[in-house]
Amino acid sequence: MDPKHQRVELNDGHFMPVLGFGTYVPPEVPRNRLVEVTKLAIEAGFCHTDSAHLYNNEEYIGLAIRSKIADGSVKREDIVYTSKLWCTFHQPELVQPALESSLKKPLDYVDLYLIHFPMALKPGETLLPNDENGKVIFDTVDLCAVWEAMEKCKDAGLAKSIGVSNFNCRQLEMILNKPGLKYKPVCNQQVECHPYLNQSKLLDFCKSKDIVLVAHSALGSQRHKLWVDQNSPVLLEDPVLCALAKKHKRSPALFALRYQLQRGVVVLAKSYNEQRIRENVQVRS
């Protein structure tokens, strides 16, 4: 990682900015708001934008990127745009059409295309297919077959780089040990990683395989009542972080983000507040 030049070299020779802008928002947030905040992020200095089919926002992210290219703020080659293959498209014959569908919305190619989760769901229009009992309907697909289809997307010029998301060490090894492997995953993204969950074992494994770890929830776990004890400590209220922030006249969030960069972890920072967007960019300086 080269924080000075604000990017990390991937194992296929391409580069990824060390700080990315996360674009997922809950369904209740108007999607057209994303155009405005993505433009703000690009103006502030974010040139790495993360999206996915699941987020239902690729059209709006694309509008924002094309707008900033049109007004001369950036060039297409300055932007690293990520999209992800959703779980209902894991059948190998569905992989490239899924990417082509995503490309109809924002841009001519993606810089990075990822397998969003290491599990397959029943193919179809429903993102989370359920049976009559409300249980998710899974599909049986060999991850290595999915990866071969991802490799074909790269060969077709639809994606500059390919990687994975939410994978553990064993799942990564399945891909890395695949006979006839053509391209290694360049990154393992969307891993919850912060000072309270530092993922040191997974980080060491990824570094040993020349795979970049990309942190999600770098400012602490999303405190959803379904899976987080509401009495658990809040990272940004941590006394050590707060003391450092006070001493150096910075926010606790900047220390949490910088912690990752100094470990060699790329960070996705998500905010829809202009002041915080501009503040988060300062972590690279």
Side-chain angles (χ1 to χ4, degrees):
M1 178 171 286
D2 185 359
K4 182 179 179 182
H5 292 97
Q6 305 175 352
R7 63 183 190 174
V8 57
E9 185 172 4
L10 304 175
N11 62 42
D12 65 356
H14 293 297
F15 290 86
M16 175 189 288
V18 298
L19 184 66
F21 183 65
T23 65
Y24 173 76
V25 294
E28 59 269 19
V29 177
R31 287 297 179 271
N32 55 11
R33 170 92 172 113
L34 284 167
V35 178
E36 178 188 346
V37 296
T38 303
K39 286 181 182 179
L40 282 173
I42 294 172
E43 290 167 4
F46 281 93
C47 51
H48 174 190
T49 304
D50 177 74
S51 186
H53 175 79
L54 175 67
Y55 302 166
N56 190 30
N57 66 12
E58 292 176 299
E59 178 181 357
Y60 302 101
I61 304 304
L63 284 172
I65 292 173
R66 287 199 302 270
S67 173
K68 299 314 292 180
I69 291 173
D71 71 14
S73 298
V74 291
K75 297 177 181 179
R76 174 63 184 92
E77 55 267 30
D78 297 330
I79 296 291
V80 170
Y81 175 75
T82 300
S83 188
K84 306 183 192 75
L85 176 76
W86 183 238
C87 307
T88 53
F89 301 104
H90 276 206
Q91 291 290 343
E93 67 274 14
L94 299 179
V95 173
Q96 185 165 322
L99 174 52
E100 289 171 343
S101 177
S102 287
L103 288 174
K104 289 177 183 177
K105 300 167 187 175
L107 304 162
D108 295 331
Y109 65 90
V110 296
D111 298 272
L112 184 58
Y113 197 48
L114 310 177
I115 299 176
H116 203 151
F117 283 95
M119 62 182 187
L121 300 179
K122 178 185 176 182
E125 295 299 318
T126 305
L127 293 176
L128 290 171
N130 293 317
D131 63 18
E132 62 275 12
N133 298 312
K135 294 185 177 180
V136 174
I137 305 173
F138 292 94
D139 194 14
T140 302
V141 184
D142 184 353
L143 271 178
C144 291
V146 184
W147 187 252
E148 286 181 5
M150 296 284 286
E151 291 177 323
K152 290 177 181 176
C153 290
K154 178 175 170 67
D155 285 337
L158 300 175
K160 284 191 171 183
S161 301
I162 52 176
V164 299
S165 178
N166 295 291
F167 274 48
N168 60 30
C169 296
R170 183 180 64 81
Q171 291 155 345
L172 282 167
E173 284 184 321
M174 288 176 63
I175 303 296
L176 294 171
N177 295 332
K178 185 185 83 68
L181 180 69
K182 192 169 186 180
Y183 305 115
K184 289 168 57 174
V186 298
C187 69
N188 185 19
Q189 189 163 300
Q190 204 166 311
V191 174
E192 180 177 343
C193 187
H194 47 75
Y196 287 171
L197 181 64
N198 66 23
Q199 300 284 8
S200 58
K201 180 180 177 181
L202 181 58
L203 176 59
D204 288 345
F205 178 83
C206 286
K207 284 183 175 181
S208 74
K209 304 298 182 182
D210 197 18
I211 295 172
V212 173
L213 189 68
V214 183
H216 133 88
S217 293
L219 302 182
S221 180
Q222 298 179 27
R223 302 184 66 79
H224 198 293
K225 293 180 180 179
L226 286 176
W227 59 77
V228 174
D229 180 351
Q230 298 302 293
N231 294 317
S232 62
V234 177
L235 177 64
L236 296 184
E237 296 174 1
D238 182 86
V240 175
L241 277 183
C242 290
L244 286 169
K246 183 177 181 180
K247 178 180 179 181
H248 296 280
K249 297 180 180 180
R250 300 287 192 197
S251 70
L254 279 180
F255 278 90
L257 294 175
R258 188 69 186 182
Y259 164 78
Q260 300 293 3
L261 299 190
Q262 292 186 185
R263 301 170 73 220
V265 176
V266 171
V267 179
L268 297 179
K270 182 178 69 177
S271 177
Y272 298 96
N273 176 286
E274 181 175 358
Q275 181 181 346
R276 288 176 185 157
I277 288 172
R278 296 188 183 281
E279 179 187 80
N280 288 341
V281 171
Q282 297 173 18
V283 73
R284 301 176 304 191
S285 60

